[in-house]
């Protein structure tokens, strides 16, 4: 009994330590967002200070952050929706017809560094007149999110027994009807997980927006980059902006946590 209690105590201590390591940067970010520049640079009063919302006021008053939030949401939402429209049928076909070579090709597209696409991507969109448009950003973000959606959903579809589709076909459903009415509802945890991950990847994407976005379509990561100048870094506003970017995703992740966990593990055991 004592050995069991000792092991439980060690486990809780390890959990608390790991949690502290992962949460400390976020806690420090929130604390720094409530300080002025001098307090942030000082090491004398890390936790003892007078909180102020001046940094948040500056972010919204001087940098039009509402516009950047709207731009990021439009691009992330559009790239996620179109990624699902293309990714769900593709992942179903790969799982059903065992198109593993095609799946590997898609995985390679995900592994290749995104920066290698930048020059041809920029040339193409420049020729089409699509630079500084939501279309260019949406398509470029799909380059990151679509392979991720496909690979999450392949395992989800493979975990479904073939008898479910066969029964639906016997009852009169077409292949498309069985896909939409029977299979998709059963893999909804995987869809939620894939959607959430794709949205986060797009929300935090910096590289494509740096090249393809302009004044009208500038997203949050680019807006945060504006707080870094040649001579000074506005740490207070930078931390406030980082909190604004992180908080919505954190809240959504906590609300959808059980779906995300079940979606990730849904393909772990087939049958």
């Amino acid at each position: 009994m004592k050995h069991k209690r000792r092991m439980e105590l060690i486990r809780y201590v390890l959990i608390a330590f790991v949690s502290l390591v992962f949460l400390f940067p976020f806690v420090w970010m929130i604390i720094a967002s409530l300080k002025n520049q001098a307090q942030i640079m000082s090491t004398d009063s890390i936790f003892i200070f007078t909180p102020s919302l001046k940094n948040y006021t500056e972010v919204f008053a001087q940098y039009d952050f509402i516009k950047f939030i709207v731009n990021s949401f439009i691009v992330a939402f559009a790239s996620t929706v179109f990624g699902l429209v293309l990714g769900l049928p593709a992942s179903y076909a790969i799982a059903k017809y065992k198109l593993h070579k095609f799946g590997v090709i898609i995985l390679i597209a995900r592994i290749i560094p995104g920066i290698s696409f930048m020059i041809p991507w920029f040339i193409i969109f420049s020729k089409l007149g699509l630079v500084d448009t939501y279309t260019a950003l949406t398509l470029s973000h799909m380059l990151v999110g679509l392979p991720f959606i496909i690979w999450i959903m392949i395992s989800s579809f493979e975990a479904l027994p073939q008898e479910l589709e066969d029964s639906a076909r016997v009852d009169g459903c077409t292949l498309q009807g069985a896909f939409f009415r029977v299979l998709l509802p059963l893999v909804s945890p995987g869809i939620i997980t894939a959607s959430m991950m794709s949205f986060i990847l797009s929300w935090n994407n910096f590289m494509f927006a740096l090249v393809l976005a302009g004044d009208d379509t500038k997203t949050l990561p680019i807006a945060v980059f504006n707080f870094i100048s040649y001579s000074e870094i506005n740490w207070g506003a930078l931390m406030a902006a980082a909190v604004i970017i992180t908080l919505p995703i954190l809240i959504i992740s906590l609300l959808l946590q059980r779906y995300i966990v079940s979606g990730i593990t849904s393909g772990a055991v087939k049958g």
Side-chain angles (χ1 to χ4, degrees):
M1 181 65 73
K2 290 183 178 179
H3 178 72
K4 184 178 179 180
R5 290 181 178 177
R6 188 180 299 111
M7 293 303 296
E8 287 184 355
L9 179 61
I10 293 174
R11 185 180 67 178
Y12 287 130
V13 170
L14 290 176
I15 292 174
F17 175 76
V18 173
S19 300
L20 181 62
V21 171
F22 280 94
L23 289 176
F24 178 77
F26 184 70
V27 173
W28 187 88
M29 180 174 66
I30 295 176
I31 293 175
S33 69
L34 301 174
K35 295 180 177 181
N36 57 40
Q37 188 80 350
Q39 291 172 332
I40 294 174
M41 303 304 297
S42 174
T43 58
D44 298 331
S45 56
I46 297 179
F47 297 104
I48 302 175
F49 64 96
T50 302
S52 173
L53 297 178
K54 181 180 178 181
N55 292 321
Y56 292 92
T57 304
E58 179 181 353
V59 164
F60 284 101
Q62 298 185 14
Y63 295 95
D64 194 14
F65 232 62
I66 295 294
K67 177 182 178 181
F68 304 143
I69 293 174
V70 171
N71 288 341
S72 288
F73 180 81
I74 291 174
V75 174
F77 181 79
S79 63
T80 300
V81 170
F82 288 116
L84 290 173
V85 170
L86 297 176
L88 291 177
S91 57
Y92 167 71
I94 292 172
K96 178 178 175 61
Y97 299 108
K98 310 299 181 183
L99 304 175
H100 299 299
K101 292 182 179 179
F102 184 70
V104 171
I105 294 175
I106 295 175
L107 180 61
I108 292 175
R110 179 66 182 90
I111 295 175
I112 295 176
I115 194 170
S116 61
F117 295 96
M118 290 307 305
I119 295 178
W121 219 234
F122 179 77
I123 293 175
I124 291 172
F125 287 129
S126 296
K127 295 293 184 180
L128 296 175
L130 294 177
V131 175
D132 193 16
T133 63
Y134 293 126
T135 301
L137 290 177
T138 299
L139 292 176
S140 61
H141 286 202
M142 284 177 63
L143 186 67
V144 178
L146 180 58
F148 198 88
I149 291 174
I150 292 175
W151 269 91
I152 287 181
M153 295 310 301
I154 287 175
S155 60
S156 297
F157 283 116
E158 286 180 339
L160 298 178
Q162 180 63 34
E163 289 77 8
L164 289 173
E165 182 180 337
D166 295 339
S167 299
R169 298 295 298 274
V170 170
D171 290 338
C173 280
T174 61
L175 181 62
Q176 294 80 6
F179 176 73
F180 286 106
R181 298 181 182 179
V182 178
L183 300 182
L184 284 187
L186 293 175
V187 296
S188 56
I191 295 175
I192 294 175
T193 302
S195 301
M196 188 66 201
M197 296 301 181
S198 175
F199 190 91
I200 292 174
L201 289 172
S202 177
W203 184 268
N204 294 328
N205 190 283
F206 172 80
M207 183 177 55
F208 289 116
L210 180 63
V211 176
L212 299 176
D215 294 335
D216 295 331
T217 57
K218 187 178 297 183
T219 57
L220 284 171
I222 304 301
V224 172
F225 187 67
N226 290 336
F227 297 112
I228 302 175
S229 64
Y230 177 77
S231 59
E232 183 186 15
I233 299 177
N234 189 347
W235 287 109
L238 180 63
M239 292 298 103
V243 171
I244 295 170
I245 293 176
T246 307
L247 201 57
I249 299 298
L250 182 62
I251 293 174
I252 295 175
S253 300
L254 291 175
L255 293 176
L256 301 178
Q257 181 180 13
R258 65 189 184 96
Y259 297 103
I260 294 175
V261 173
S262 60
I264 292 175
T265 59
S266 62
V269 179
K270 292 183 63 177

